[in-house]
Amino acid sequence: MALPTFEVPTPTAMRRSMGRLTAGVCVVTADDAVSGSCGMTISSMTSISLDPAILLVSLTHGSRTTDAVDTAGRFAVSILSARQEAIARRFATRGGARFEGFDCDTGDNGLPLIKDALAQIECDVHSAHDIGDHRVFYGSVTNLRCREGTGLAFYSGRFGDFHDFGHDQVPWLF
Ligand SMILES: Cc1cc2nc3c(=O)[nH]c(=O)nc-3n(C[C@H](O)[C@H](O)[C@H](O)COP(=O)(O)O)c2cc1C
């Protein structure tokens, strides 16, 4: 089969090709000094350093959550399980009252954490950079915990799961 021709990286083309990377799904939460809790669904969370423990999240400009992380200097990340697709949708839907009638855990730093998430991670902002239409926050991890479960995946605009662990008999230890 002939390969498609290369195209210029318009936002649509970027979204389409980047969407071919199967990604885990998280909710980043923060505290807005004026209106309280805020949060959004992300797939951009990446582990950067183990010692010291640092991760990054890339948040779009113009989001309340982005501003709240900037102002408060801290945020939390909950890694969603395959049973939490509805939560991913809730926190990605514009204009919704995301915390109304929604029960959360509370972290040591007081931020809301998604109940039953596979991991809950609290961070202080280490540094932040504007890159294109996003603001990248590096977070120094202050606290974290995790549990067993199947991860929620996002591929090509659809949710799925990482249920099929593939062909390795034992997990990679690296
Ligand atoms: C699976 C998935 C992953 C997403 N990843 C990101 C991301 O990494 N960064 C980001 O800024 N928005 C991401 N979004 C989009 C935001 O969740 C969405 O725009 C949300 O409405 C933003 O919050 P706001 O409405 O409060 O601005 C993602 C959405 C989905 C469904």
Side-chain angles (χ1 to χ4, degrees):
M1 196 173 70
L3 281 170
T5 51
F6 282 106
E7 53 185 339
V8 293
T10 60
T12 305
M14 272 294 277
R15 195 186 290 267
R16 194 164 45 229
S17 284
M18 294 302 112
R20 261 47 177 190
L21 178 67
T22 304
V25 183
C26 306
V27 170
V28 60
T29 43
D31 224 335
D32 182 320
V34 180
S35 39
S37 300
C38 54
M40 66 194 275
T41 298
I42 61 161
S43 57
S44 58
M45 199 275 284
T46 303
S47 171
I48 296 296
S49 166
L50 298 182
D51 187 13
I54 296 171
L55 56 76
L56 80 69
V57 296
S58 177
L59 308 184
T60 185
H61 285 302
S63 167
R64 211 182 103 201
T65 307
T66 312
D67 294 342
V69 173
D70 241 343
T71 309
R74 58 193 193 148
F75 62 94
V77 177
S78 301
I79 300 178
L80 299 186
S81 83
R83 296 177 180 206
Q84 295 181 312
E85 177 180 336
I87 296 175
R89 290 181 184 278
R90 179 186 189 103
F91 280 84
T93 303
R94 285 203 168 258
R98 295 175 183 164
F99 288 91
E100 211 172 273
F102 186 76
D103 197 20
C104 286
D105 291 334
T106 304
D108 273 9
N109 63 10
L111 292 180
L113 299 164
I114 304 299
K115 271 188 188 304
D116 300 323
L118 295 184
Q120 298 174 329
I121 310 162
E122 300 176 274
C123 298
D124 289 335
V125 172
H126 170 283
S127 50
H129 306 277
D130 286 328
I131 301 185
D133 52 14
H134 279 55
R135 187 156 174 79
V136 176
F137 294 95
Y138 291 87
S140 294
V141 177
T142 55
N143 257 320
L144 75 173
R145 62 181 174 188
C146 66
R147 66 180 189 81
E148 293 304 313
T150 301
L152 181 63
F154 193 67
Y155 172 77
S156 203
R158 293 192 181 93
F159 291 98
D161 63 48
F162 287 106
H163 192 67
D164 181 356
F165 286 103
H167 35 261
D168 290 322
Q169 295 302 307
V170 289
W172 282 90
L173 298 174
F174 60 92

